[in-house]
Amino acid sequence: MIAITLHDRIVEGPPQPAARVPLDLDGPFERAAGWLARRLYGKVLDPLRVAFHHRPALVSMLALEASASRWKKLPLTLQALAVIASAREIGCSWCMDFGYWEHHHRGVDPHKLREIASWRSSEVYSPLERAVIEYSVAATATPSAVTDQMVATLREHLSDAQVVELAALISLENYRSRTNAGLGLTSQGFKEDCDVPWVEAT
């Protein structure tokens, strides 16, 4: 779903890369959009700041997000796991950070979000949740590593419409994560409200 809002802020750990395009456009439109973002999220999201440079792209991104927000066939926890697993595979710390915050506040069990790196061995996941994560990881791989058996397993528990929604949601998260990572956006501090442990699977 970004770099720190105050780029001179000192953070612990390795140095954070700077955004690869400026985040400081400050016209009337940007101020109005920033005001709305602060009302919704408490801060201006850096993906929004970079998209200010390309209004048609911004409009398309917002329209896609608005449309996707009406996808309700998959249970929320499965949506969350698909998003977080895909973001982690790509290495988008902003999407991990914001995704954790968003789904935590929507009531998803934080343990399921927190242990995504250990999904193969963690006991917090049901067989279906594990199958969704496996599919998300495989679908995010380049080239795709999805197998017929993975989809067959999903279809034992999900309707065809739910499987299609899952695939589309993973594609959407790939779009978000690859855009943000490509522009150098990193965690914006949402983890200060909901800790996002970034651990490697063992």
Side-chain angles (χ1 to χ4, degrees):
M1 327 123 248
I2 301 183
I4 305 170
T5 303
L6 300 176
H7 294 280
D8 58 349
R9 177 178 170 190
I10 298 175
V11 296
E12 296 180 1
Q16 296 294 309
R20 296 182 175 115
V21 296
L23 302 177
D24 56 359
L25 291 185
D26 190 31
F29 173 80
E30 289 78 16
R31 287 193 293 272
W35 175 85
L36 179 59
R38 280 188 290 270
R39 291 289 301 271
L40 293 172
Y41 306 110
K43 62 188 75 177
V44 183
L45 306 184
D46 283 354
L48 181 64
R49 290 181 185 272
V50 298
F52 286 155
H53 290 279
H54 194 303
R55 295 279 184 88
L58 172 61
V59 170
S60 295
M61 291 163 61
L62 294 177
L64 179 56
E65 292 291 350
S67 177
S69 70
R70 297 193 292 272
W71 300 352
K72 304 292 185 183
K73 294 188 180 297
L74 275 176
L76 180 58
T77 294
L78 298 185
Q79 290 187 351
L81 294 177
V83 166
I84 296 296
S86 297
R88 182 180 181 279
E89 284 302 298
I90 293 168
C92 179
S93 64
W94 191 89
C95 294
M96 286 285 293
D97 184 23
F98 182 78
Y100 186 98
W101 176 88
E102 177 186 26
H103 293 297
H104 178 274
H105 287 288
R106 295 177 70 186
V108 176
D109 182 350
H111 292 93
K112 294 181 185 293
L113 301 173
R114 207 175 282 133
E115 297 194 26
I116 199 73
S118 302
W119 65 270
R120 288 183 174 85
S121 58
S122 175
E123 297 181 357
V124 304
Y125 302 113
S126 69
L128 174 57
E129 291 167 346
R130 204 180 311 278
V132 165
I133 298 171
E134 180 183 33
Y135 178 81
S136 302
V137 169
T140 300
T142 303
S144 174
V146 172
T147 66
D148 291 345
Q149 184 56 52
M150 289 179 191
V151 178
T153 299
L154 291 172
R155 293 182 70 227
E156 292 175 4
H157 306 278
L158 302 176
S159 69
D160 288 343
Q162 288 175 315
V163 173
V164 170
E165 182 172 300
L166 175 61
L169 188 61
I170 294 164
S171 295
L172 175 58
E173 184 52 42
N174 271 254
Y175 170 58
R176 296 172 181 140
S177 288
R178 294 186 189 280
T179 300
N180 293 340
L183 292 173
L185 304 185
T186 57
S187 172
Q188 199 172 341
F190 288 97
K191 63 185 176 184
E192 294 177 1
D193 295 324
C194 306
D195 185 36
V196 184
W198 187 274
V199 294
E200 293 301 320
T202 57

PDB file of all heavy atoms in Angstrom, residues 8 12 19-20 41 46 51 57 69 75 77 79 92 101 110 117 121 138 140 145 150-151 160 163 168 181 188 200:
ATOM      1  N   ASP A   8      13.580  13.099   7.346  1.00  0.00           N
ATOM      2  CA  ASP A   8      14.780  13.285   8.145  1.00  0.00           C
ATOM      3  C   ASP A   8      14.616  12.650   9.519  1.00  0.00           C
ATOM      4  O   ASP A   8      15.463  12.795  10.378  1.00  0.00           O
ATOM      5  CB  ASP A   8      15.094  14.781   8.303  1.00  0.00           C
ATOM      6  CG  ASP A   8      13.945  15.543   8.938  1.00  0.00           C
ATOM      7  OD1 ASP A   8      12.851  14.980   9.067  1.00  0.00           O
ATOM      8  OD2 ASP A   8      14.170  16.719   9.300  1.00  0.00           O
ATOM      9  N   GLU A  12      15.232   3.254  13.861  1.00  0.00           N
ATOM     10  CA  GLU A  12      16.159   2.205  14.235  1.00  0.00           C
ATOM     11  C   GLU A  12      16.315   1.230  13.078  1.00  0.00           C
ATOM     12  O   GLU A  12      15.443   1.097  12.240  1.00  0.00           O
ATOM     13  CB  GLU A  12      15.647   1.489  15.479  1.00  0.00           C
ATOM     14  CG  GLU A  12      15.582   2.398  16.708  1.00  0.00           C
ATOM     15  CD  GLU A  12      15.077   1.658  17.926  1.00  0.00           C
ATOM     16  OE1 GLU A  12      14.803   0.452  17.801  1.00  0.00           O
ATOM     17  OE2 GLU A  12      14.962   2.277  18.988  1.00  0.00           O
ATOM     18  N   ALA A  19      12.356   7.862  -1.080  1.00  0.00           N
ATOM     19  CA  ALA A  19      11.448   7.740  -2.216  1.00  0.00           C
ATOM     20  C   ALA A  19      12.173   8.217  -3.467  1.00  0.00           C
ATOM     21  O   ALA A  19      12.957   9.162  -3.428  1.00  0.00           O
ATOM     22  CB  ALA A  19      10.196   8.560  -1.967  1.00  0.00           C
ATOM     23  N   ARG A  20      11.881   7.576  -4.588  1.00  0.00           N
ATOM     24  CA  ARG A  20      12.620   7.851  -5.812  1.00  0.00           C
ATOM     25  C   ARG A  20      12.035   8.995  -6.626  1.00  0.00           C
ATOM     26  O   ARG A  20      12.605   9.375  -7.656  1.00  0.00           O
ATOM     27  CB  ARG A  20      12.708   6.569  -6.647  1.00  0.00           C
ATOM     28  CG  ARG A  20      13.512   5.487  -5.927  1.00  0.00           C
ATOM     29  CD  ARG A  20      13.655   4.218  -6.751  1.00  0.00           C
ATOM     30  NE  ARG A  20      14.524   3.275  -6.049  1.00  0.00           N
ATOM     31  CZ  ARG A  20      14.123   2.101  -5.572  1.00  0.00           C
ATOM     32  NH1 ARG A  20      12.857   1.725  -5.730  1.00  0.00           N
ATOM     33  NH2 ARG A  20      14.963   1.312  -4.941  1.00  0.00           N
ATOM     34  N   TYR A  41      -6.779   8.550   7.645  1.00  0.00           N
ATOM     35  CA  TYR A  41      -5.677   7.693   8.076  1.00  0.00           C
ATOM     36  C   TYR A  41      -4.755   8.334   9.111  1.00  0.00           C
ATOM     37  O   TYR A  41      -3.852   7.670   9.607  1.00  0.00           O
ATOM     38  CB  TYR A  41      -4.831   7.278   6.866  1.00  0.00           C
ATOM     39  CG  TYR A  41      -5.645   6.633   5.770  1.00  0.00           C
ATOM     40  CD1 TYR A  41      -5.873   7.288   4.560  1.00  0.00           C
ATOM     41  CD2 TYR A  41      -6.204   5.368   5.948  1.00  0.00           C
ATOM     42  CE1 TYR A  41      -6.620   6.700   3.562  1.00  0.00           C
ATOM     43  CE2 TYR A  41      -6.959   4.780   4.949  1.00  0.00           C
ATOM     44  CZ  TYR A  41      -7.168   5.452   3.755  1.00  0.00           C
ATOM     45  OH  TYR A  41      -7.915   4.873   2.768  1.00  0.00           O
ATOM     46  N   ASP A  46       2.038   8.072   1.438  1.00  0.00           N
ATOM     47  CA  ASP A  46       3.066   8.376   0.441  1.00  0.00           C
ATOM     48  C   ASP A  46       2.717   7.868  -0.958  1.00  0.00           C
ATOM     49  O   ASP A  46       3.105   8.513  -1.942  1.00  0.00           O
ATOM     50  CB  ASP A  46       4.420   7.848   0.905  1.00  0.00           C
ATOM     51  CG  ASP A  46       5.031   8.748   1.972  1.00  0.00           C
ATOM     52  OD1 ASP A  46       4.461   9.813   2.253  1.00  0.00           O
ATOM     53  OD2 ASP A  46       6.090   8.378   2.518  1.00  0.00           O
ATOM     54  N   ALA A  51       1.634   9.709  -6.504  1.00  0.00           N
ATOM     55  CA  ALA A  51       0.645   9.705  -7.582  1.00  0.00           C
ATOM     56  C   ALA A  51       0.201  11.112  -7.956  1.00  0.00           C
ATOM     57  O   ALA A  51      -0.344  11.316  -9.046  1.00  0.00           O
ATOM     58  CB  ALA A  51      -0.566   8.864  -7.190  1.00  0.00           C
ATOM     59  N   ALA A  57      -3.063   8.569 -13.707  1.00  0.00           N
ATOM     60  CA  ALA A  57      -2.721   7.349 -12.978  1.00  0.00           C
ATOM     61  C   ALA A  57      -3.371   7.352 -11.604  1.00  0.00           C
ATOM     62  O   ALA A  57      -3.884   6.319 -11.135  1.00  0.00           O
ATOM     63  CB  ALA A  57      -1.205   7.219 -12.850  1.00  0.00           C
ATOM     64  N   SER A  69     -12.964  -2.397  -3.189  1.00  0.00           N
ATOM     65  CA  SER A  69     -13.507  -2.348  -1.824  1.00  0.00           C
ATOM     66  C   SER A  69     -14.896  -2.976  -1.746  1.00  0.00           C
ATOM     67  O   SER A  69     -15.380  -3.281  -0.654  1.00  0.00           O
ATOM     68  CB  SER A  69     -13.562  -0.900  -1.325  1.00  0.00           C
ATOM     69  OG  SER A  69     -14.559  -0.161  -2.014  1.00  0.00           O
ATOM     70  N   PRO A  75     -14.186 -14.250   2.761  1.00  0.00           N
ATOM     71  CA  PRO A  75     -14.140 -13.773   4.145  1.00  0.00           C
ATOM     72  C   PRO A  75     -12.958 -12.817   4.348  1.00  0.00           C
ATOM     73  O   PRO A  75     -11.917 -12.955   3.701  1.00  0.00           O
ATOM     74  CB  PRO A  75     -13.960 -15.057   4.961  1.00  0.00           C
ATOM     75  CG  PRO A  75     -14.512 -16.143   4.089  1.00  0.00           C
ATOM     76  CD  PRO A  75     -14.179 -15.722   2.675  1.00  0.00           C
ATOM     77  N   THR A  77     -10.710 -12.436   6.632  1.00  0.00           N
ATOM     78  CA  THR A  77      -9.411 -12.998   7.017  1.00  0.00           C
ATOM     79  C   THR A  77      -8.673 -13.570   5.815  1.00  0.00           C
ATOM     80  O   THR A  77      -7.453 -13.390   5.678  1.00  0.00           O
ATOM     81  CB  THR A  77      -9.588 -14.088   8.086  1.00  0.00           C
ATOM     82  OG1 THR A  77     -10.086 -13.487   9.293  1.00  0.00           O
ATOM     83  CG2 THR A  77      -8.262 -14.772   8.402  1.00  0.00           C
ATOM     84  N   GLN A  79      -9.019 -12.556   2.710  1.00  0.00           N
ATOM     85  CA  GLN A  79      -8.558 -11.387   1.956  1.00  0.00           C
ATOM     86  C   GLN A  79      -7.261 -10.851   2.553  1.00  0.00           C
ATOM     87  O   GLN A  79      -6.295 -10.566   1.833  1.00  0.00           O
ATOM     88  CB  GLN A  79      -9.622 -10.294   1.972  1.00  0.00           C
ATOM     89  CG  GLN A  79     -10.863 -10.582   1.164  1.00  0.00           C
ATOM     90  CD  GLN A  79     -11.780  -9.374   1.105  1.00  0.00           C
ATOM     91  OE1 GLN A  79     -11.575  -8.386   1.803  1.00  0.00           O
ATOM     92  NE2 GLN A  79     -12.799  -9.453   0.272  1.00  0.00           N
ATOM     93  N   CYS A  92       7.465  -5.455  -0.158  1.00  0.00           N
ATOM     94  CA  CYS A  92       6.978  -4.083   0.002  1.00  0.00           C
ATOM     95  C   CYS A  92       6.688  -3.823   1.474  1.00  0.00           C
ATOM     96  O   CYS A  92       5.629  -4.197   1.983  1.00  0.00           O
ATOM     97  CB  CYS A  92       5.720  -3.860  -0.838  1.00  0.00           C
ATOM     98  SG  CYS A  92       5.047  -2.187  -0.665  1.00  0.00           S
ATOM     99  N   TRP A 101      -1.985  -2.743   9.604  1.00  0.00           N
ATOM    100  CA  TRP A 101      -2.784  -1.731  10.306  1.00  0.00           C
ATOM    101  C   TRP A 101      -4.246  -1.797   9.875  1.00  0.00           C
ATOM    102  O   TRP A 101      -5.156  -1.808  10.706  1.00  0.00           O
ATOM    103  CB  TRP A 101      -2.195  -0.353  10.021  1.00  0.00           C
ATOM    104  CG  TRP A 101      -2.941   0.806  10.591  1.00  0.00           C
ATOM    105  CD1 TRP A 101      -2.791   1.361  11.838  1.00  0.00           C
ATOM    106  CD2 TRP A 101      -3.965   1.577   9.941  1.00  0.00           C
ATOM    107  NE1 TRP A 101      -3.649   2.421  11.995  1.00  0.00           N
ATOM    108  CE2 TRP A 101      -4.380   2.575  10.848  1.00  0.00           C
ATOM    109  CE3 TRP A 101      -4.561   1.515   8.684  1.00  0.00           C
ATOM    110  CZ2 TRP A 101      -5.371   3.498  10.539  1.00  0.00           C
ATOM    111  CZ3 TRP A 101      -5.545   2.432   8.364  1.00  0.00           C
ATOM    112  CH2 TRP A 101      -5.949   3.411   9.289  1.00  0.00           C
ATOM    113  N   PRO A 110      -4.730 -10.603  14.894  1.00  0.00           N
ATOM    114  CA  PRO A 110      -3.364 -10.134  14.636  1.00  0.00           C
ATOM    115  C   PRO A 110      -2.337 -11.255  14.593  1.00  0.00           C
ATOM    116  O   PRO A 110      -1.299 -11.132  13.944  1.00  0.00           O
ATOM    117  CB  PRO A 110      -3.093  -9.159  15.786  1.00  0.00           C
ATOM    118  CG  PRO A 110      -4.083  -9.506  16.838  1.00  0.00           C
ATOM    119  CD  PRO A 110      -5.286 -10.012  16.118  1.00  0.00           C
ATOM    120  N   ALA A 117       5.189 -15.021   7.978  1.00  0.00           N
ATOM    121  CA  ALA A 117       6.490 -15.517   7.512  1.00  0.00           C
ATOM    122  C   ALA A 117       6.678 -16.987   7.828  1.00  0.00           C
ATOM    123  O   ALA A 117       7.459 -17.674   7.163  1.00  0.00           O
ATOM    124  CB  ALA A 117       7.617 -14.703   8.152  1.00  0.00           C
ATOM    125  N   SER A 121       4.576 -23.594   9.013  1.00  0.00           N
ATOM    126  CA  SER A 121       4.677 -24.344  10.274  1.00  0.00           C
ATOM    127  C   SER A 121       3.792 -23.799  11.394  1.00  0.00           C
ATOM    128  O   SER A 121       3.531 -24.512  12.372  1.00  0.00           O
ATOM    129  CB  SER A 121       6.133 -24.358  10.756  1.00  0.00           C
ATOM    130  OG  SER A 121       6.619 -23.030  10.938  1.00  0.00           O
ATOM    131  N   ALA A 138       2.477 -18.502  -4.526  1.00  0.00           N
ATOM    132  CA  ALA A 138       2.744 -19.071  -5.847  1.00  0.00           C
ATOM    133  C   ALA A 138       2.302 -18.137  -6.965  1.00  0.00           C
ATOM    134  O   ALA A 138       2.984 -18.008  -7.991  1.00  0.00           O
ATOM    135  CB  ALA A 138       2.034 -20.422  -5.973  1.00  0.00           C
ATOM    136  N   THR A 140       2.205 -14.952  -6.865  1.00  0.00           N
ATOM    137  CA  THR A 140       3.060 -13.767  -6.870  1.00  0.00           C
ATOM    138  C   THR A 140       4.423 -14.058  -7.486  1.00  0.00           C
ATOM    139  O   THR A 140       5.112 -13.142  -7.944  1.00  0.00           O
ATOM    140  CB  THR A 140       3.214 -13.227  -5.432  1.00  0.00           C
ATOM    141  OG1 THR A 140       1.919 -12.881  -4.929  1.00  0.00           O
ATOM    142  CG2 THR A 140       4.101 -12.003  -5.368  1.00  0.00           C
ATOM    143  N   ALA A 145       3.852 -19.831 -10.075  1.00  0.00           N
ATOM    144  CA  ALA A 145       4.108 -21.201  -9.632  1.00  0.00           C
ATOM    145  C   ALA A 145       2.819 -21.906  -9.210  1.00  0.00           C
ATOM    146  O   ALA A 145       2.866 -22.947  -8.545  1.00  0.00           O
ATOM    147  CB  ALA A 145       5.109 -21.197  -8.484  1.00  0.00           C
ATOM    148  N   MET A 150      -3.260 -26.846  -6.422  1.00  0.00           N
ATOM    149  CA  MET A 150      -3.544 -25.736  -5.504  1.00  0.00           C
ATOM    150  C   MET A 150      -4.962 -25.221  -5.697  1.00  0.00           C
ATOM    151  O   MET A 150      -5.698 -24.993  -4.730  1.00  0.00           O
ATOM    152  CB  MET A 150      -2.549 -24.586  -5.735  1.00  0.00           C
ATOM    153  CG  MET A 150      -1.146 -24.855  -5.274  1.00  0.00           C
ATOM    154  SD  MET A 150      -0.107 -23.400  -5.639  1.00  0.00           S
ATOM    155  CE  MET A 150       1.516 -24.075  -5.309  1.00  0.00           C
ATOM    156  N   VAL A 151      -5.334 -25.019  -6.952  1.00  0.00           N
ATOM    157  CA  VAL A 151      -6.672 -24.498  -7.231  1.00  0.00           C
ATOM    158  C   VAL A 151      -7.731 -25.535  -6.877  1.00  0.00           C
ATOM    159  O   VAL A 151      -8.790 -25.200  -6.338  1.00  0.00           O
ATOM    160  CB  VAL A 151      -6.788 -24.068  -8.705  1.00  0.00           C
ATOM    161  CG1 VAL A 151      -8.198 -23.580  -9.015  1.00  0.00           C
ATOM    162  CG2 VAL A 151      -5.772 -22.976  -9.010  1.00  0.00           C
ATOM    163  N   ASP A 160     -16.364 -20.961  -7.065  1.00  0.00           N
ATOM    164  CA  ASP A 160     -15.555 -20.481  -8.180  1.00  0.00           C
ATOM    165  C   ASP A 160     -15.446 -18.957  -8.144  1.00  0.00           C
ATOM    166  O   ASP A 160     -14.389 -18.390  -8.462  1.00  0.00           O
ATOM    167  CB  ASP A 160     -16.147 -20.940  -9.505  1.00  0.00           C
ATOM    168  CG  ASP A 160     -15.945 -22.437  -9.728  1.00  0.00           C
ATOM    169  OD1 ASP A 160     -15.098 -23.041  -9.034  1.00  0.00           O
ATOM    170  OD2 ASP A 160     -16.635 -23.000 -10.596  1.00  0.00           O
ATOM    171  N   VAL A 163     -12.754 -18.048  -5.729  1.00  0.00           N
ATOM    172  CA  VAL A 163     -11.421 -18.304  -6.273  1.00  0.00           C
ATOM    173  C   VAL A 163     -11.022 -17.184  -7.235  1.00  0.00           C
ATOM    174  O   VAL A 163      -9.882 -16.698  -7.223  1.00  0.00           O
ATOM    175  CB  VAL A 163     -11.365 -19.675  -6.978  1.00  0.00           C
ATOM    176  CG1 VAL A 163     -10.028 -19.860  -7.699  1.00  0.00           C
ATOM    177  CG2 VAL A 163     -11.575 -20.797  -5.966  1.00  0.00           C
ATOM    178  N   ALA A 168      -7.893 -12.179  -8.285  1.00  0.00           N
ATOM    179  CA  ALA A 168      -7.917 -10.754  -8.607  1.00  0.00           C
ATOM    180  C   ALA A 168      -7.312  -9.928  -7.474  1.00  0.00           C
ATOM    181  O   ALA A 168      -6.604  -8.944  -7.709  1.00  0.00           O
ATOM    182  CB  ALA A 168      -9.352 -10.306  -8.888  1.00  0.00           C
ATOM    183  N   ALA A 181       7.167  -0.438  -4.183  1.00  0.00           N
ATOM    184  CA  ALA A 181       8.564  -0.851  -4.051  1.00  0.00           C
ATOM    185  C   ALA A 181       9.408  -0.246  -5.161  1.00  0.00           C
ATOM    186  O   ALA A 181      10.542   0.184  -4.935  1.00  0.00           O
ATOM    187  CB  ALA A 181       8.663  -2.373  -4.068  1.00  0.00           C
ATOM    188  N   GLN A 188       5.627   3.615   6.594  1.00  0.00           N
ATOM    189  CA  GLN A 188       5.347   5.007   6.943  1.00  0.00           C
ATOM    190  C   GLN A 188       5.014   5.193   8.419  1.00  0.00           C
ATOM    191  O   GLN A 188       4.620   6.267   8.830  1.00  0.00           O
ATOM    192  CB  GLN A 188       4.202   5.532   6.079  1.00  0.00           C
ATOM    193  CG  GLN A 188       4.136   7.050   6.014  1.00  0.00           C
ATOM    194  CD  GLN A 188       3.120   7.547   5.009  1.00  0.00           C
ATOM    195  OE1 GLN A 188       2.709   6.807   4.123  1.00  0.00           O
ATOM    196  NE2 GLN A 188       2.704   8.792   5.150  1.00  0.00           N
ATOM    197  N   GLU A 200      12.013 -13.339   8.850  1.00  0.00           N
ATOM    198  CA  GLU A 200      12.206 -14.306   7.774  1.00  0.00           C
ATOM    199  C   GLU A 200      11.758 -15.679   8.221  1.00  0.00           C
ATOM    200  O   GLU A 200      11.917 -16.056   9.385  1.00  0.00           O
ATOM    201  CB  GLU A 200      13.688 -14.338   7.358  1.00  0.00           C
ATOM    202  CG  GLU A 200      14.158 -13.063   6.702  1.00  0.00           C
ATOM    203  CD  GLU A 200      13.377 -12.734   5.454  1.00  0.00           C
ATOM    204  OE1 GLU A 200      13.073 -13.670   4.681  1.00  0.00           O
ATOM    205  OE2 GLU A 200      13.076 -11.551   5.242  1.00  0.00           O
TER     206      GLU A 200
END
